[in-house]
Amino acid sequence: MIRVDGRGFHRFSDRYNFEKPNDLRALTLMNESAKVVMRDITDVILAYGDSDEYSFVLRKQCQLFERRESKLISTFVSTFTAAYNQLWSVHMGPDAPLDVGHMPTFDSRAVVYPSDKILRDYLSWRQADCHINNLYNTTFWALVLKGNQTRTAAALRLKDTFSKDKNEILFSEFGINYNNEPEIFKKGTILLRVTKDVTLKNPQDLSERQLQREEKKLKKAEIQQLHIDLIGDDFWNERPWILNN
Ligand code: ATP
Ligand code: ATP
Ligand code: MG
Ligand code: MG
């Protein structure tokens, strides 16, 4: 798994006036940049993203760069960053040009998960994190933007509160039912390659020509974008090919 995360995006999102708590254009830009990475690097079987981060899951038998960590993380993060910069004006509009002093940059890391179960735990953790942050941010920005509270007062109000308290503040003070918030905000984004007619045998069992053909199919495969739960078993039971590679 390789995860990229925006550097200093708290300030970066302020500098470019991201809509708070969730700028849909910025999320779309993240998703489209991740698709560029997925189209370029066919070993990616699934990607999950929210906020300023994206996790790319590589297939078990991946032999890209002989699995050398520095090669992998530098290639992923530079491909992602290049796409994000290139697609910026497409999604953020022409009135928000990037200036050289405040460029969007990303860091990245690689982690090897030793089993399917632990890989699933990792992805569940990221999706749970998305939910926790989104509930907090939705409540925080409701207090600031609709409740006219200062950021400091809003943060103080939310200190030591539980999920149910935040749901209650949203509902009783702002008439917001958190359950009705857009799924992309609550669940983040899952990207999957739709690869029905690809062999996906162990690369060692394929001839050079077969390998090239498979690679071509993978590059052309459609990338599906979902905003659904991946913590429960349903997601995985309905898509057994993900973990079977
Ligand atoms: P670091 O460099 O350590 O990652 P950071 O400032 O990027 O620091 P993160 O924990 O990665 O901190 O948080 C990213 C922040 O970027 C969010 O808390 C939020 O303020 C902002 N952000 C990211 N995406 C969006 C978006 N689509 N809409 C609004 N704000 C966003
Ligand atoms: P890898 O992905 O393994 O690095 P590569 O194709 O980038 O493969 P390098 O050994 O890095 O191989 O070589 C870079 C090549 O790029 C050079 O051999 C040259 O053909 C081309 N190149 C780089 N800079 C210039 C330049 N300024 N003018 C003309 N050609 C250049
Ligand atoms: Mg960040
Ligand atoms: Mg982040």
Side-chain angles (χ1 to χ4, degrees):
M1 185 291 302
I2 294 167
R3 179 170 76 246
V4 301
D5 183 286
R7 285 178 59 213
F9 262 47
H10 194 73
R11 285 186 63 186
F12 179 83
S13 59
D14 259 353
R15 166 69 184 70
Y16 290 101
N17 302 315
F18 281 22
E19 216 174 286
K20 293 290 180 179
N22 284 294
D23 191 313
L24 187 58
R25 301 167 308 166
L27 291 177
T28 307
L29 174 55
M30 288 292 294
N31 294 341
E32 293 306 312
S33 305
K35 287 176 195 171
V36 171
V37 172
M38 251 178 115
R39 278 189 208 104
D40 189 34
I41 305 174
T42 51
D43 288 279
V44 177
I45 53 173
L46 175 152
Y48 173 77
D50 73 285
S51 181
D52 67 340
E53 69 169 65
Y54 241 98
S55 299
F56 297 94
V57 177
L58 305 187
R59 63 207 198 105
K60 242 180 252 175
Q61 310 93 322
C62 174
Q63 288 304 325
L64 184 60
F65 300 126
E66 296 153 321
R67 302 176 72 93
R68 279 180 293 168
E69 183 178 10
S70 314
K71 283 276 197 178
L72 287 168
I73 59 174
S74 59
T75 300
F76 270 79
V77 78
S78 62
T79 307
F80 187 90
T81 306
Y84 191 96
N85 280 268
Q86 176 69 21
L87 297 175
W88 173 268
S89 59
V90 177
H91 296 287
M92 301 306 290
D95 333 322
L98 286 170
D99 79 79
V100 189
H102 301 87
M103 296 290 280
T105 57
F106 294 81
D107 64 30
S108 83
R109 73 204 63 196
V111 185
V112 183
Y113 292 113
S115 67
D116 290 348
K117 177 176 181 308
I118 295 177
L119 173 68
R120 273 187 58 179
D121 284 348
Y122 167 75
L123 291 167
S124 301
W125 169 49
R126 295 328 296 153
Q127 192 168 54
D129 196 68
C130 169
H131 161 71
I132 300 280
N133 288 333
N134 188 57
L135 178 59
Y136 180 92
N137 290 335
T138 304
T139 318
F140 177 87
W141 287 103
L143 289 167
V144 172
L145 298 174
K146 298 184 176 136
N148 293 318
Q149 299 198 17
T150 64
R151 293 188 187 197
T152 317
L156 203 64
R157 172 91 193 275
L158 292 180
K159 201 170 165 288
D160 302 325
T161 56
F162 296 108
S163 288
K164 68 167 172 36
D165 306 318
K166 295 185 190 79
N167 274 302
E168 184 56 27
I169 293 174
L170 281 175
F171 192 70
S172 60
E173 296 178 31
F174 303 103
I176 297 170
N177 184 342
Y178 182 76
N179 290 329
N180 297 339
E181 288 291 292
E183 295 301 312
I184 185 174
F185 299 165
K186 291 184 296 184
K187 301 274 191 334
T189 299
I190 300 163
L191 301 179
L192 286 173
R193 212 186 291 279
V194 185
T195 50
K196 288 199 187 67
D197 57 342
V198 175
T199 323
L200 288 175
K201 277 193 195 147
N202 211 328
Q204 278 100 322
D205 303 335
L206 297 176
S207 71
E208 194 60 35
R209 264 199 64 189
Q210 284 175 310
L211 266 178
Q212 280 173 4
R213 220 178 303 142
E214 293 302 286
E215 172 90 4
K216 240 190 195 158
K217 277 192 217 162
L218 283 170
K219 285 215 178 207
K220 276 206 220 127
E222 185 201 328
I223 293 174
Q224 191 179 25
Q225 175 173 325
L226 303 167
H227 312 288
I228 59 176
D229 177 82
L230 59 64
I231 298 174
D233 290 332
D234 288 356
F235 176 83
W236 303 96
N237 289 341
E238 285 160 18
R239 299 170 184 80
W241 65 85
I242 298 174
L243 293 178
N244 295 336
N245 275 267

